[in-house]
Amino acid sequence: MSDRNRELFALVPASLLLVGGFAAVFIQDSATLSSVSLSYGAVFLGLCLAGHVVVRVTVPHADPYLFPIVAVLASVGLVVIYRIDADLARAQAQWFVVALIFFAATLIFLRDYRKLERYRYTIAAASLALLLLPRVPGLGQQANGAFLGVRLPGGIVFQPTEFAKIGIVIFLASYLRDTRQVLVQGARRVAGITIPKLKHLGPLLLIWGAAMLMLIFIRDLGSSLMFFGGFLAVLYVATDRLSFPLIGFLMFSLGAWFLATHVGHVHDRVDAWLNPFDPVLYDRPGGSYQLAQSLFAQSDGGVLGKGLGASILTLPGGGNLVPAPQTDLIYSVITDELGLTGACGVILCYLLFVARGFKIATIARDSFSTLLAVGLTSVLALQVFVIVGGVTRVIPLTGVTLPFISYGGSSLVANFVLAALLLLISDRARRPA
Amino acid sequence: MNRPITGLFAMFVILFAVLVGFTSRWTVFESKSLRDNPLNRRVLLEELEINRGEIKAQDGTVLAHSVKAAGKTWKREYPTGALFAQTVGWSYPGQGITDTGTELYRRDVLLGRSNSISSTIGRIQGHKKQGGSVKTWLDTEAQKVALRSLAGRAGSVVAMDPRTGAVRVMASVPDFAPSPANLARAAKSSGSPLLNRVTQARYPPGSTFKVVTAVAAIDSGQYTPTSTVDGKSPQVFSGVPLNNDDKVSYDNVDLTTALTFSINTAWANVASDLGRVTMAKYMSRFGFDSKPQLDYPPRQMTASGARVKGSIVPPTDDRVDLARLSIGQDKLLVTPIQMMEVAAAVANHGVLMQPRIGDQIINTDGQSSRVLPEEQGRVMRPSTALAVTEMMKKVVQEGTGTAAALSGIEVAGKTGTAQIDPLQNLTQPWFIAFAPADNPTIAIAVTVERSFGGFGGTIAAPIARDVMEVLLRNSPGRRIP
């Protein structure tokens, strides 16, 4: 079977997952099974097929698994968002269409993605500008102390970080492709540790400084970890020196520790992480209520979960028991309703995505492509780790979206563009010479 | 560049494994402790979404049921209002009020948390929002009569079938109609309406306790109803003179007469002769010194017995004045249900049945099961029970309890009038009884708090008579399985 047909058939189970999921929510809500779930499934399958046709035409040699994995994650997201709020699901479905358009546009207009290298400083500057946008007075929006959103006319909240992460990875891949040799060659070895020359170290320190500034400006530990982690991953692959990312991680930790002890809301997050069940922290605004509710929701799920639509999300008098169920805490809702089993399934999908991403990186024929694939994959994997780790109390909880699943247009569009870039890289790598 | 990529992938595998590990921690390993966390309201919210089952009286009257409330939740209502307030109890988890009474004791059934296999399947299918129901032995008509007869006076009436332990009446005044607002008001009320006086009040039993002394005397073989004792008044016990009522002096009096006219000094002599060990033995057989074995929340019951600084001490303790204990004075404090059990043990040929409010449990699947009668224990030989019955009959025929007499049905009983405050002439009138005397189907205890100069025979006995009359009509001697 050809790669493209394999991809085509793999889309069917993704659509069936959506049909089954919607059917389960219908049954729970009204105790009746309507054929609407089937038509939803058909529409979803239709949209996926459209995406598939674009892939077939533009990148015929691309990795066949990536797009179906994305479709599975998106269908899980649509079902769970529908279970939380039908109106939100409708909006999310519209965003899904928009995301597919961006996906197709990326595949069509960026067929030679390597020309992006030419604009790397423009891209870097634009990305930094995007990151700082939420701090612009009258434009930015603060949520839980962090500056992550921009309010656009028409009430749409735009999350620039989602797009900035792609731009910054493009810049890093391009920049490190050029400098990776000098970083290693001019370096001295002290006690077995490679220390690059100061003039080469400069730009690295600059990036570290930028990450720290970002931490201070957008005040978000999670997205900073995501950006800086992505940088270290690309740096490590570019230089093959473990000491680089280790030193970088140490520096980041120092910076993070300083912020955790000196910036109020970061400190609160760390406090909440350490003592989620402290009654004082629990009741404090921006305290541990969210994390505690996340853990309570997961504990209710058990191994098999309560079933779609059967968990407790709202209070009898109205209002949410679980805060931000469609964005930050969507993983907890999934665990509550689908149990440990369902949660592991979701994690496994992400792991498959990551495996494909790295596979693409290894077969890429030029270092820019390799580094770009590594960067994009790492940033996405780190984003998953930051939010799932946050709601499962591995690390302090900070609000980033769960890629392809969480509600939100920016996230969905940006991650589909990310997937499209990976497909472009893999198409070039697998194209017969 | 492939080597670092492999390393990177390995790192992400480990990071994702950590995520799975932590998810397992919350969903499996620490799931229970998270559910029990006081900040976790999910257990409560789940409970609010369950249509808690009904509690019914023996005649099918609904005493408690749930009605739709906000969202998917239910709330409790008590259609009979104040009638069975403390007995049925209340359940308002949404208001942060803890369950009480039968609502608490039968909580698992009412919430549908039984362990049968079919319910487990139901849980998997997700149909777990309906609880089971409980049918009680309670008699609405007799309960109404009991409350009407108490006529607002603080006190209680409790009655059961001595053959099975089926509790037919359990009335406690002051009462109130359970609702969150009334509960808040009642909690502040000086009359303690939340208290179930039948199981929680501690009163001096007065002369009703002489039945216990009489059983000990005859069952021990040391006395017969015709044995004579010294009933002169006053006589010195524990260094303090003890008087009979109105200081009437009896020379040599037999035990039947001593009970009929409630002669204090005669019974004080009997108990002194029997000794602490024998009295302790019989008291414990009747259930004194421990909580009633009623299907009711333990924290809403209290033990009867001699109390020193609030704690129960057995009659073998030197601090107990045995002579005065034997006539229901000194440190003795009892619950009305305990005194009803004294009458019931005599009525049921010496065997005390465990009192039972519940009759039938109907679980979510519609399967019903009976709450089976159980013996609490044999208190006395049948011959003793027969002899004491004859003595108690005399009390109603010609002694202090004539006001309890029913036309055509023989009643056996014993009055009591504990002195609460002799200066203000405040008393605690009591009456315990059973009927029909030769084939008893009802045992009862009635008491009224702080009566102004009232006697057991004048205040409590008429209430007992009215309630027994209804109960005898409603349960015409039928044997219950």
Side-chain angles (χ1 to χ4, degrees):
Chain A
M1 199 189 290
S2 80
D3 278 355
R4 292 279 71 80
N5 289 344
R6 204 176 298 188
E7 177 181 271
L8 179 62
F9 283 110
L11 289 171
V12 174
S15 306
L16 289 179
L17 196 69
L18 185 106
V19 172
F22 271 99
V25 179
F26 280 141
I27 292 172
Q28 189 66 34
D29 271 9
S30 51
T32 53
L33 179 55
S34 82
S35 55
V36 179
S37 62
L38 271 175
S39 52
Y40 281 175
V43 170
F44 182 77
L45 184 63
L47 288 170
C48 289
L49 285 180
H52 166 75
V53 169
V54 175
V55 170
R56 192 177 269 263
V57 172
T58 55
V59 284
H61 308 288
D63 188 283
Y65 303 110
L66 215 50
F67 187 57
I69 293 169
V70 168
V72 165
L73 290 169
S75 71
V76 169
L78 282 169
V79 167
V80 175
I81 292 166
Y82 178 76
R83 178 264 174 274
I84 294 165
D85 186 334
D87 291 336
L88 284 182
R90 210 161 294 128
Q92 179 79 347
Q94 284 163 10
W95 280 118
F96 180 67
V97 174
V98 172
L100 276 176
I101 292 169
F102 271 81
F103 176 78
T106 309
L107 290 178
I108 292 165
F109 297 114
L110 272 180
R111 290 190 71 171
D112 188 12
Y113 59 91
R114 290 183 302 177
K115 69 185 170 201
L116 287 170
E117 278 206 89
R118 269 183 262 152
Y119 308 107
R120 69 183 184 204
Y121 290 109
T122 316
I123 290 172
S127 301
L128 284 175
L130 277 177
L131 282 175
L132 296 179
L133 216 52
R135 287 307 300 261
V136 176
L139 204 60
Q141 203 194 30
Q142 194 177 17
N144 296 327
F147 293 90
L148 290 170
V150 173
R151 186 170 288 283
L152 294 182
I156 298 170
V157 176
F158 168 65
Q159 299 233 302
T161 33
E162 296 285 350
F163 295 96
K165 76 182 177 198
I166 297 176
I168 285 179
V169 166
I170 293 171
F171 166 74
L172 288 172
S174 172
Y175 177 78
L176 286 169
R177 184 192 66 116
D178 281 355
T179 50
R180 66 191 197 97
Q181 304 289 352
V182 288
L183 274 177
V184 182
Q185 280 167 0
R188 292 163 297 155
R189 286 184 73 82
V190 178
I193 299 168
T194 311
I195 296 177
K197 273 189 178 164
L198 204 63
K199 72 169 180 182
H200 302 305
L201 200 63
L204 302 187
L205 284 173
L206 202 71
I207 292 171
W208 175 77
M212 287 301 112
L213 270 179
M214 209 172 84
L215 253 177
I216 294 167
F217 268 116
I218 64 175
R219 299 190 180 174
D220 190 60
L221 207 59
S223 9
S224 307
L225 181 66
M226 187 172 99
F227 282 106
F228 201 66
F231 160 61
L232 293 179
V234 179
L235 182 64
Y236 175 49
V237 173
T239 60
D240 193 10
R241 293 288 186 283
L242 198 56
S243 56
F244 284 33
L246 283 182
I247 293 168
F249 184 73
L250 226 76
M251 282 164 73
F252 181 81
S253 305
L254 277 174
W257 173 80
F258 179 81
L259 285 171
T261 45
H262 288 80
V263 174
H265 90 275
V266 179
H267 178 69
D268 286 352
R269 287 292 169 118
V270 174
D271 260 359
W273 172 58
L274 294 174
N275 309 296
F277 306 122
D278 181 321
V280 178
L281 286 178
Y282 181 83
D283 289 328
R284 187 189 291 168
S288 64
Y289 177 83
Q290 194 176 16
L291 179 57
Q293 287 306 328
S294 164
L295 301 181
F296 293 153
Q298 292 175 63
S299 78
D300 254 13
V303 175
L304 293 173
K306 291 242 157 192
L308 279 169
S311 76
I312 303 172
L313 280 181
T314 52
L315 295 165
N320 277 343
L321 173 69
V322 180
Q326 75 277 20
T327 51
D328 293 6
L329 260 56
I330 200 162
Y331 178 81
S332 312
V333 176
I334 291 171
T335 311
D336 194 348
E337 307 217 321
L338 301 176
L340 177 61
T341 323
C344 285
V346 168
I347 300 272
L348 205 64
C349 282
Y350 284 118
L351 195 63
L352 283 175
F353 185 97
V354 172
R356 293 322 293 175
F358 284 139
K359 175 76 186 163
I360 291 166
T362 55
I363 61 170
R365 292 180 192 163
D366 60 289
S367 14
F368 173 64
S369 299
T370 299
L371 293 178
L372 185 58
V374 165
L376 293 175
T377 307
S378 299
V379 160
L380 186 120
L382 280 166
Q383 188 170 349
V384 172
F385 181 75
V386 163
I387 185 58
V388 177
V391 299
T392 54
R393 214 187 144 205
V394 179
I395 56 172
L397 172 59
T398 55
V400 296
T401 56
L402 189 58
F404 304 112
I405 292 185
S406 282
Y407 173 76
S410 311
S411 167
L412 206 58
V413 170
N415 286 312
F416 265 91
V417 168
L418 188 152
L421 284 171
L422 283 175
L423 284 177
L424 284 166
I425 299 167
S426 79
D427 179 61
R428 175 172 290 274
R430 291 155 58 102
R431 196 179 298 161
Chain B
M1 287 193 280
N2 287 355
R3 197 180 70 95
I5 293 177
T6 313
L8 209 53
F9 181 60
M11 185 195 76
F12 280 120
V13 170
I14 292 169
L15 285 183
F16 281 24
V18 170
L19 297 181
V20 169
F22 269 71
T23 309
S24 317
R25 180 178 164 192
W26 310 124
T27 53
V28 180
F29 301 110
E30 286 179 28
S31 171
K32 174 131 188 17
S33 70
L34 281 173
R35 274 183 80 78
D36 295 343
N37 191 304
L39 295 172
N40 191 347
R41 294 174 64 206
R42 286 172 170 267
V43 180
L44 168 70
L45 292 171
E46 270 168 27
E47 188 180 326
L48 288 175
E49 287 185 8
I50 297 172
N51 179 3
R52 205 180 165 101
E54 292 179 333
I55 299 175
K56 288 180 183 164
Q58 185 62 209
D59 63 4
T61 307
V62 174
L63 306 179
H65 68 153
S66 291
V67 294
K68 278 267 179 202
K72 289 190 211 161
T73 64
W74 297 81
K75 74 168 195 283
R76 210 60 168 153
E77 276 187 1
Y78 301 93
T80 49
L83 193 59
F84 286 104
Q86 303 93 342
T87 310
V88 166
W90 46 86
S91 173
Y92 294 111
Q95 279 71 30
I97 299 166
T98 44
D99 290 3
T100 58
T102 301
E103 289 274 32
L104 174 60
Y105 191 84
R106 302 288 177 193
R107 186 183 153 80
D108 285 353
V109 171
L110 294 167
L111 288 173
R113 288 182 187 152
S114 49
N115 290 324
S116 75
I117 297 163
S118 51
S119 307
T120 310
I121 293 168
R123 195 160 23 242
I124 290 167
Q125 290 169 337
H127 306 301
K128 46 149 195 186
K129 309 271 164 131
Q130 171 67 52
S133 62
V134 173
K135 186 178 183 185
T136 66
W137 282 110
L138 300 169
D139 186 306
T140 48
E141 194 190 350
Q143 181 87 359
K144 279 180 197 157
V145 171
L147 288 176
R148 199 184 308 138
S149 308
L150 282 169
R153 290 169 291 183
S156 71
V157 179
V158 54
M160 79 174 194
D161 187 327
R163 301 164 301 175
T164 60
V167 173
R168 310 305 311 277
V169 169
M170 185 181 274
S172 174
V173 174
D175 55 8
F176 69 103
S179 72
N182 284 354
L183 277 163
R185 211 169 302 134
K188 285 182 228 136
S189 162
S190 59
S192 309
L194 299 186
L195 199 73
N196 184 349
R197 286 169 157 72
V198 171
T199 57
Q200 288 179 286
R202 293 172 186 165
Y203 301 128
S207 302
T208 53
F209 191 78
K210 286 170 187 163
V211 175
V212 175
T213 311
V215 166
I218 293 165
D219 204 60
S220 66
Q222 289 174 254
Y223 291 87
T224 67
T226 52
S227 307
T228 54
V229 283
D230 181 2
K232 281 198 280 293
S233 178
Q235 292 181 42
V236 174
F237 292 94
S238 307
V240 181
L242 178 69
N243 281 306
N244 290 335
D245 278 351
D246 297 329
K247 299 186 176 151
V248 185
S249 201
Y250 303 83
D251 272 343
N252 278 331
V253 65
D254 65 46
L255 290 194
T256 303
T257 313
L259 196 72
T260 308
F261 299 105
S262 203
I263 301 168
N264 289 342
T265 53
W267 292 107
N269 276 321
V270 169
S272 303
D273 178 38
L274 290 172
R276 292 178 185 276
V277 175
T278 305
M279 280 305 286
K281 181 170 88 181
Y282 283 92
M283 278 176 69
S284 115
R285 284 191 193 176
F286 273 114
F288 286 86
D289 299 351
S290 46
K291 287 187 178 181
Q293 297 181 18
L294 176 70
D295 51 351
Y296 199 69
R299 65 178 162 82
Q300 283 180 272
M301 296 195 282
T302 188
S304 302
R307 282 186 184 266
V308 174
K309 290 187 189 117
S311 328
I312 292 274
V313 290
T316 46
D317 190 295
D318 283 343
R319 287 170 293 183
V320 175
D321 181 342
L322 189 68
R324 284 181 174 77
L325 174 103
S326 75
I327 56 170
Q329 296 183 10
D330 191 42
K331 300 175 179 67
L332 191 59
L333 292 172
V334 301
T335 58
I337 194 171
Q338 176 61 65
M339 293 320 293
M340 186 273 290
E341 290 184 74
V342 168
V346 176
N348 194 35
H349 314 291
V351 174
L352 176 60
M353 302 303 290
Q354 288 181 358
R356 285 278 181 273
I357 295 170
D359 171 20
Q360 259 177 298
I361 308 290
I362 300 110
N363 72 15
T364 314
D365 314 316
Q367 295 166 332
S368 79
S369 56
R370 301 302 291 258
V371 178
L372 296 174
E374 267 188 69
E375 282 186 17
Q376 182 162 330
R378 175 165 284 282
V379 180
M380 70 201 90
R381 285 178 273 121
S383 59
T384 309
L386 214 61
V388 176
T389 299
E390 290 304 315
M391 293 162 72
M392 288 171 74
K393 274 154 85 172
K394 273 272 197 311
V395 174
V396 178
Q397 283 162 4
E398 53 196 63
T400 53
T402 48
L406 291 166
S407 61
I409 298 169
E410 210 162 14
V411 176
K414 180 70 193 86
T415 58
T417 310
Q419 302 297 321
I420 302 297
D421 186 344
L423 293 175
Q424 291 184 58
N425 198 18
L426 281 179
T427 61
Q428 169 104 15
W430 278 89
F431 191 65
I432 64 171
F434 55 87
D438 294 323
N439 182 21
T441 58
I442 291 299
I444 192 168
V446 176
T447 188
V448 175
E449 284 176 23
R450 299 177 74 85
S451 169
F452 190 72
F455 294 100
T458 59
I459 301 291
I463 299 173
R465 177 198 60 208
D466 293 349
V467 174
M468 281 196 292
E469 198 170 19
V470 178
L471 284 175
L472 288 170
R473 206 185 323 127
N474 285 358
S475 57
R478 72 187 164 103
R479 270 239 169 252
I480 299 132

